[in-house]
Amino acid sequence: MAIITTAFALSAFSTSSPVVNVVQDDPRKKNIISDNSNNSNINDPSLGHHITTTSHALFDTTGDILDPTSQVTSGKRIAIDPMKYLRTFSYGRVSTNSAGDTSTTIREFTLIASDDKIMEVSPGVFYNVWTFNGTIPGPTIRATEGDLVRIHFVNNGSKPHSIHFHGIHSSEMDGVFDMVSPGGQFVYEFYAEPFGVFPYHCHMQPLEEHISHGLYGVYIVDPKNKPRPTADEMVMVMNGYDTDSDKENNFYTVNGIPYYYMHHPIQIEKGRLVRVYLVNMLEFDPINNFHLHANMYQLYRSGTSLTPDEYTDMVTMSQGERGILEFTYKYPGPYMFHAHKTEFAEKGWMGTFLVKDENRSMNESNSVKSITNTLQPLVGRGSD
Amino acid sequence: MEKGDGEEIEKIENRIDQQRNSDKKVAKNMLISISVAIIPLVVLIGMIAFLFGPGQSFLMIKSANPIPEITIERLEFQDGKIVAFIRNTGPSDVTIAQADINDRIQAAAVEPGKNLSRLSVAKVIIPFIWNPGEPYEVGITTSDGIRFHKSIDAAALAPSPDIKQASLFAVIGTYVGVIPVMIGLLWFPFIKRLSRSKYTFFLSLTAGLLVFLGLDALIEGNKIASENVAGVFNGQMLIAMVSIISFLALLYVSEYLVDRANAGNNVQHKIFSDPQLTKPSSLTSSPSLHAQQQRLKQLSKPTIIALMISIGIGLHNLGEGLAIGAAILLGKVALSTFLIVGFTLHNTTEGLAIVAPLARANNKATIGRLVILGIIAGSPAIVGAWIGGFFYSPIAAIIFLAIGAGAIFQVAFSILTWISNNNDSKNTDPKNEADSKERSLPKKKAWLDLSSIVGFVAGMIIMYMTSLLVAS
């Protein structure tokens, strides 16, 4: 006997929910806790418990549960670990080239393309992924303005591939006219300029096919003279998967797995600056967007300026567009973020930030109890 | 005398010997034919064993990836949830990964489990607050990321199999099936008074009605087969096959009943000509036999045709009830008074089909018998509504419709042959003056004369016009 909950955790707080049930012995909860990665805090006594214990409908079944909104993937052939990807930045193998007065930092990376793997892209759904270094998205490459970036590219796939970096570089390093044959290699070399956030992706034709299968990643160039203030930094790639090849996305995600941050909330600290490097790599649909709940963010379009362009909670990006988002949460608790193109949200592009206040965890626990209590009468009304 | 006896015995012995020998021969022949029949089967088994064994790699018939296929056979809208009944109709096992409503992913449960072996079924239950009357599409995604979907025009609460719903279906079935047929039976006195040519017209009209109904059943079945039955079941072929089987089976039953009736009449005459059997003692000793003979005597050919028409129309009405019940279940129709009026008008003509041959039966048609025929023809609509409304399955539906179509065609066939036989065999019914006039006319195939052709066409047109009333 198992139980499925049909509403997302946070909708339980809406008073319009017809029925709110509190289930203390949800067996699924165990699964989530046992799958707990380093960051997941579902069992956090202060805030986590109502995420799995409240919803607007409960249903008992003797069969299997199909619920990507709360189920984790099997984890064996998962296309990426979104929690690990979130805050991992690859700075490369660093060396210095001194010539006279000037010394240049050289950052070397190896990117290996493959196109034969079948991996899990959504709970229970397996798809032929094309990857850089085995994940979707590929590793986040990070350098400082003026560094020499050297990419050792190996094509381990069965089709020709390339890497096309956005940014300023010479024609032969653009990865467009010279494809790397299966088994071939190429070294891309360019100076990191200008500062900002950029995508990189394969530029083999048909372009849409090569990108939508997963050959992309994020490339960040930090400003040299005036570094951005320290913050809790994370990278987010908005993408989709067309698993049935009908030129329409079946799943939408942020960081590769639909709904992942719904059952694995991203923990941040109250009052601490959060910086999100956001890139839209969605294919087929012309736009995508990012909406943050209960807060506003400073938006730096393309990340190429240190002056924000907008103070907002909504940014809409076309294919290949990107930006830097900076915000600080004033109040602790879980907060949702998702595409305000709600179709995408309801096909996987949603997540939560869990804002923690270490000093006030006891008080927080009480406030949650009071919320739950106020909702109790609804249980009676709904089950009439 | 003795010698003659000896010869006789010898002859008999010889004959017995011959018999034995020929018995042996027969047994031997039998053995040979059995073994000859088995040889190809043995070879076939060997071939299959080879293909499943090392032959497979030898022949390189292993395809890369069989494309999975699941069919959503039916959607049911229940209180606070939508249930999809699915079947694995593909060439390999499948695993169900996700479910969606209107292309938005939903949490769901799949019973008995998410792994479906070939042709097995499962129920996907999606808790969802749906709005009555709105269209919905339910999608099921397999582990390969392929999405299969089914739409419904207007969601309606699925009837739950309780007494209330069952009696509602019974009332609908009565309105749609029983009452119209009974009304049609009221034409009996009218048909009885008709002259031969007018009578032929009405018989042909009946045949026209029936052919229309038969074609209607085939078309309806084909529609279900193409929309709801997975290709693996070869629905269209199933319809064709079942209708032909139904046609032949009912043809056989009908002929058998006619033969028995004729034989019964002959026996009856014998019984009464035999003085021994007319003794009161023997009559009392076998009252049941007598009653049976009586009954058989009453079952003249027109009565049997009327009975067969009732059965055929009954099977048709079963299909009709099935369609109505299923339509309510699947939320395809908002059941309206108008629809019921349409079906009533449409089905009244079915009663006419029953009384037409009965009007020429030699013996009196009692009211009781008419009512029984009406119930045989009409009440299956109730049963159909129950089956369709509570246990709908598209495959069962096309089988019922095909049986009905075969039955209807058999009846139409019987009527047409009856018309031609009746007219050809120079009927000497003294009651009918028109007959004596017609006898002098040059003989021709009765079903080719004008009144029957006009009747046939009129029958189909009447059905078409009344069917417009129930067109949704």
Side-chain angles (χ1 to χ4, degrees), chain A residues 4-6 18 59 61-68 122-126 243-244 250-251 259 343 346-347, chain B residues 81 96-98 103-114 125 127 129 141-147:
Chain A
I4 54 171
T5 58
T6 60
F59 176 76
T61 179
T62 50
D64 292 324
I65 291 169
L66 312 173
D67 185 8
S122 183
V125 177
F126 294 83
T243 56
D244 52 6
N250 297 57
F251 302 100
Y259 301 106
E343 178 196 354
E346 290 185 306
K347 285 170 159 176
Chain B
K81 56 185 179 248
I96 307 302
Q98 292 184 19
D103 205 16
R104 305 291 182 268
I105 295 164
Q106 300 291 335
V110 54
E111 292 174 355
K114 62 183 175 183
I125 302 140
I129 300 167
T141 302
T142 62
S143 60
D144 333 50
I146 297 174
R147 179 174 178 267

Side-chain angles (χ1 to χ4, degrees), chain A residues 250-265:
Chain A
N250 297 57
F251 302 100
Y252 296 84
T253 92
V254 65
N255 290 352
I257 303 295
Y259 301 106
Y260 193 87
Y261 299 123
M262 289 304 292
H263 43 80
H264 287 68

Side-chain angles (χ1 to χ4, degrees), chain A residues 274-292:
Chain A
V274 175
R275 182 176 298 124
V276 176
Y277 295 92
L278 180 71
V279 179
N280 179 30
M281 287 311 298
L282 190 67
E283 281 298 325
F284 309 113
D285 295 285
I287 59 129
N288 203 340
N289 46 35
F290 184 107
H291 166 54
L292 183 68

Side-chain angles (χ1 to χ4, degrees), chain B residues 108-163:
Chain B
V110 54
E111 292 174 355
K114 62 183 175 183
N115 298 313
L116 268 74
S117 57
R118 200 165 174 249
L119 292 178
S120 67
V121 291
K123 213 164 84 170
V124 179
I125 302 140
I126 311 166
F128 191 83
I129 300 167
W130 50 272
N131 305 319
E134 281 185 16
Y136 284 97
E137 181 185 278
V138 172
I140 304 289
T141 302
T142 62
S143 60
D144 333 50
I146 297 174
R147 179 174 178 267
F148 300 89
H149 56 90
K150 186 177 177 66
S151 318
I152 197 152
D153 294 339
L157 192 67
S160 51
D162 54 18
I163 296 288

